[in-house]
């Protein structure tokens, strides 16, 4: 490019480049239209066609207020000078594929899109307060410092607005107040710092609003406050060395999964509470939370399916005290929830608790209250939820509450048994409470003994052999009938007649039933969990 071909603004930029001085071409024009600077001029400067810098000078391209015309094509170029563009408009998408930059900063610019896949930036890459009407491509881009997308608007409805697969940053990924229409794909990215989406708005209805599959973050992954998304958020396989926070966020993907975070590893807290509102399901299956998994004060709505899936989740502490009862099923099959915080007023109507384990209940409540929680399970009869609850009460020293829970387990089990087996179950329940109410057997024995003693005292049976019969005792005769193993010599010596004979049969049968149920109950109690 010859100097005589440059207009006034371009000549000013040409002269300022070697010294690194900023140029605002708007100062030289009284027109409302931004002065044009040809992309050809910028490319010539960055590729070495400009004046040689004097000793001590540092070249830099610092341009403000220009309308960049033509295609800025720096593919696979090595640019040693920093590039700082402010309030510039581009009529074509810059091509920066495979290029290497010292620093690249675009602030307040308007672009049809930007392609910088496989680029390398030794310092920061800044695209803040910009407006892109086409996609931003950062696939396999390496940035040694921060990537700043704060306050930028990127619009590519129905496609990938941001494609940053395997992006690598040596600092933070700053997306504060970023607005995206279209998909935001970050799968396999590595962020050596914080990923901040505070106040960001992602919209891709019916599709993936954010795909951060297998992302690695060395600090916090922050979606609060003010974050909103329409479409699915995918965090599956993510590894976050600090915490994940969704406090105050709004996720919307009705009728489908709003947040998919399967097999996520979080070293500290995974906070999905304090004002979080979700229309759609949350799926956290297999995730591992170092300290606290919280849904405190959250609102979850997915009435036609599983609103919250915690299958195989592991956490030291879990808070399920949502703002209101979760509208939809909560599936905690095989979860390990640590210390569980919940409240009866926010228990979901539908629960799955198969093999769910917890170390302690922050609010143990009474056994009758907790049984209402267990009975909300939609899986039918399962012994483990009862045994887990009973074991929790035992650790607290509440043995009576534990027996109440195990008795409820047997009653629930009885519902699904054949009719003849249910009859035997009712007998065990009425007599000894399946072994968990042993005092009942004593009460039945005393009542039957009193009945037998009173009857045979007033209607003594006749001796079989008067000369050999011992003195008659109504008490021991009734005991002899009731207790099938121990004999007092009364039953063999006297024979009742009439109604007394039928009473004797009844007492003998009742004795065998009591003995059998007590034996079964003792066996069950000894082998209890």
């Amino acid at each position: 490019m010859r100097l005589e071909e440059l207009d006034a603004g371009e000549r000013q930029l040409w002269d300022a480049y070697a010294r690194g001085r900023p140029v605002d071409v708007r100062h030289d024009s009284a027109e409302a239209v931004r002065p044009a600077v040809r992309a050809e001029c910028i490319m010539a400067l960055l590729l070495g066609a400009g004046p040689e810098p004097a000793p001590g000078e540092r070249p830099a391209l610092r341009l403000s207020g220009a309308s960049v015309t033509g295609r800025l094509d720096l593919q696979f170029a090595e640019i040693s000078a920093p590039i700082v563009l402010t309030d510039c408009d581009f009529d074509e998408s810059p091509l920066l594929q495979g290029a290497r930059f010292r620093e690249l900063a675009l602030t307040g610019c308007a672009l049809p899109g930007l392609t910088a896949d496989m680029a390398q930036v030794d310092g920061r890459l800044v695209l803040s307060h910009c407006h892109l009407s086409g996609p931003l491509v950062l696939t396999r881009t390496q940035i040694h410092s921060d990537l700043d997308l704060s306050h930028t608007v990127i619009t590519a409805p129905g496609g990938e607005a941001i494609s940053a697969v395997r992006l690598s940053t040596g600092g933070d990924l700053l997306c504060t107040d970023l607005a995206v229409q279209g998909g935001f794909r970050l799968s396999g990215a590595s962020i050596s710092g914080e990923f901040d989406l505070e106040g960001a708005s992602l919209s891709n209805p019916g599709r993936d609003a954010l795909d951060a599959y297998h992302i690695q973050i060395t600090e916090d992954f922050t979606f609060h406050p003010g974050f909103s998304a329409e479409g699915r958020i995918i965090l599956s396989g993510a590894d976050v060395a600090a915490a994940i926070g969704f406090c105050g966020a709004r996720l919307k993907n009705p009728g489908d999964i709003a947040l998919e975070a399967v097999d996520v590893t979080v070293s500290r807290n995974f906070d999905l509470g304090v004002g979080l509102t979700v229309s759609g399901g949350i799926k956290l299956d297999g995730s591992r939370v170092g300290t606290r998994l919280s849904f405190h004060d959250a609102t979850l709505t997915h009435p036609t399916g599983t609103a919250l899936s915690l299958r195989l989740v592991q956490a030291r502490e879990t808070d399920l005290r949502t703002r209101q009862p979760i509208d939809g099923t909560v599936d905690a099959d095989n979860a390990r929830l640590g210390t569980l915080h919940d409240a009866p007023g926010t228990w979901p109507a539908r629960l799955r608790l198969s093999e769910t384990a917890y170390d302690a209940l922050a609010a143990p409540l009474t056994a009758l209250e907790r049984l209402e929680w267990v009975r909300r399970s939609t899986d039918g009869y399962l012994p483990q939820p009862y045994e887990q609850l009973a074991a929790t009460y035992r650790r607290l020293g509440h043995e009576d509450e534990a027996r109440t829970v195990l008795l409820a387990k047997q009653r629930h089990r009885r519902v699904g048994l054949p009719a003849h087996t249910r009859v035997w179950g009712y007998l065990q329940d009425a007599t000894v409470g399946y072994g968990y109410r042993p005092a009942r057997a004593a009460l039945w024995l005393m009542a039957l003994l009193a009945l037998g003693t009173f009857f045979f005292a007033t209607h003594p049976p006749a001796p079989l052999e008067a000369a050999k019969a011992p003195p008659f005792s109504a008490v021991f005769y009734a005991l002899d009938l009731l207790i099938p193993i121990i004999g007092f010599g009364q039953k063999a010596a006297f024979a009742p007649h009439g109604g007394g004979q039928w009473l004797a049969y009844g007492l003998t049968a009742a004795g065998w039933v009591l003995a059998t149920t007590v034996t079964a109950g003792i066996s069950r109690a000894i082998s209890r969990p």
Side-chain angles (χ1 to χ4, degrees):
M1 175 171 283
R2 297 193 298 266
L3 292 179
E4 58 270 19
E5 295 176 347
L6 303 178
D7 61 22
E10 293 173 342
R11 183 58 185 263
Q12 185 183 5
L13 179 64
W14 193 274
D15 293 339
Y17 173 77
R19 298 181 177 87
R21 294 185 312 202
V23 174
D24 190 340
V25 296
R26 290 171 298 189
H27 296 165
D28 300 325
S29 176
E31 299 178 2
V33 179
R34 296 174 184 267
V37 173
R38 288 172 294 170
E40 183 184 0
C41 174
I42 295 174
M43 291 163 54
L45 284 171
L46 294 174
L47 295 176
E52 289 292 328
E57 292 180 341
R58 298 179 183 176
L61 193 143
R62 306 180 191 276
L63 176 63
S64 300
S67 176
V68 180
T69 60
R71 177 82 70 182
L72 182 61
D73 187 348
L74 296 172
Q75 296 182 84
F76 301 101
E78 290 204 19
I79 311 300
S80 59
I83 301 174
V84 180
L85 302 174
T86 306
D87 293 328
C88 292
D89 294 345
F90 290 77
D91 63 1
E92 295 187 49
S93 300
L95 297 178
L96 311 179
Q97 181 184 30
R100 181 168 185 174
F101 300 92
R102 181 69 56 84
E103 181 176 81
L104 178 60
L106 282 69
T107 305
C109 297
L111 307 95
L114 189 147
T115 301
D117 52 319
M118 297 185 293
Q120 297 183 52
V121 184
D122 295 337
R124 299 181 306 152
L125 174 56
V126 178
L127 287 167
S128 67
H129 295 84
C130 293
H131 190 287
L132 279 69
S133 55
L136 170 63
V137 181
L138 297 173
T139 300
R140 295 185 180 273
T141 299
Q142 297 182 18
I143 303 164
H144 292 179
S145 185
D146 299 338
L147 170 57
D148 187 353
L149 301 177
S150 58
H151 300 276
T152 285
V153 177
I154 303 176
T155 305
E160 284 191 2
I162 302 177
S163 180
V165 175
R166 297 195 177 276
L167 168 75
S168 175
T169 73
D172 300 331
L173 176 48
L174 304 173
C175 297
T176 306
D177 293 313
L178 170 69
V180 178
Q181 292 186 28
F184 185 174
R185 190 177 179 199
L186 271 164
S187 52
S190 177
I191 312 299
S192 297
E194 179 182 2
F195 189 176
D196 187 358
L197 283 155
E198 177 182 338
S201 173
L202 310 181
S203 178
N204 198 21
R207 298 181 175 90
D208 298 338
L210 174 64
D211 181 357
Y213 179 74
H214 266 288
I215 194 171
Q216 296 185 358
I217 304 172
T218 62
E219 295 182 20
D220 292 335
F221 197 176
T222 306
F223 292 83
H224 59 244
F227 174 82
S228 65
E230 187 172 5
R232 181 179 295 211
I233 301 292
I234 300 176
L235 308 183
S236 295
D239 190 340
V240 181
I244 300 177
F246 278 87
C247 296
R250 299 183 305 280
L251 309 183
K252 184 179 180 182
N253 197 26
D256 202 346
I257 301 297
L259 174 60
E260 180 186 311
V262 175
D263 293 328
V264 171
T265 300
V266 187
S267 295
R268 297 208 305 262
N269 297 336
F270 198 160
D271 200 338
L272 290 150
V274 192
L276 170 67
T277 302
V278 181
S279 176
I282 294 180
K283 189 174 183 179
L284 305 182
D285 298 356
S287 291
R288 295 166 295 282
V289 182
T291 52
R292 185 181 180 92
L293 172 62
S294 176
F295 298 89
H296 186 257
D297 199 39
T299 302
L300 310 184
T301 305
H302 189 35
T304 59
T306 301
L308 176 60
S309 181
L310 301 174
R311 297 171 67 90
L312 295 168
V313 163
Q314 298 179 34
R316 292 184 184 176
E317 195 171 0
T318 305
D319 193 336
L320 291 174
R321 293 173 294 180
T322 52
R323 177 173 293 184
Q324 59 194 38
I326 295 174
D327 187 4
T329 300
V330 174
D331 186 350
D333 287 359
N334 291 283
R336 300 292 180 265
L337 303 179
T339 300
L340 178 60
H341 299 260
D342 65 352
T346 60
W347 285 344
R350 301 188 299 276
L351 271 169
R352 291 176 183 160
L353 296 172
S354 175
E355 300 301 324
T356 305
Y358 40 86
D359 299 329
L361 294 166
L365 306 176
T366 66
L368 293 178
E369 290 173 309
R370 273 289 163 196
L371 284 170
E372 176 61 28
W373 176 65
V374 172
R375 291 189 187 106
R376 297 190 180 208
S377 175
T378 60
D379 294 323
Y381 169 70
L382 294 171
Q384 188 273 338
Y386 292 97
E387 293 164 2
Q388 167 71 67
L389 182 57
T392 302
Y393 279 119
R394 285 205 184 95
R395 284 196 295 270
L396 295 172
H398 299 166
E399 188 63 32
D400 288 343
E401 303 282 36
R403 286 197 294 267
T404 298
V405 171
L406 294 174
L407 175 57
K409 180 187 81 167
Q410 293 299 329
R411 288 172 173 170
H412 191 177
R413 173 178 174 271
R414 184 176 66 207
V415 173
L417 296 176
H420 66 281
T421 310
R422 287 202 303 272
V423 171
W424 175 240
Y426 283 120
L427 280 173
Q428 293 187 79
D429 194 354
T431 53
V432 291
Y434 284 97
Y436 302 112
R437 296 289 184 264
R440 288 185 186 177
L443 291 174
W444 277 104
L445 182 63
M446 292 174 62
L448 292 172
L449 178 62
L451 173 64
T453 299
F454 175 77
F455 182 87
F456 291 116
T458 56
H459 303 81
L464 293 175
E465 297 183 38
K468 298 180 180 180
F472 178 73
S473 170
V475 174
F476 284 98
Y477 184 72
L479 278 174
D480 221 348
L481 294 171
L482 281 169
I483 300 176
I485 300 174
I486 301 174
F488 296 99
Q490 294 283 312
K491 182 169 64 172
F494 297 92
H497 54 84
Q501 186 176 16
W502 289 106
L503 177 60
Y505 293 157
L507 291 176
T508 301
W512 277 106
V513 169
L514 278 174
T516 306
T517 54
V518 167
T519 301
I522 291 173
S523 174
R524 184 179 294 106
I526 290 174
S527 61
R528 68 193 176 191

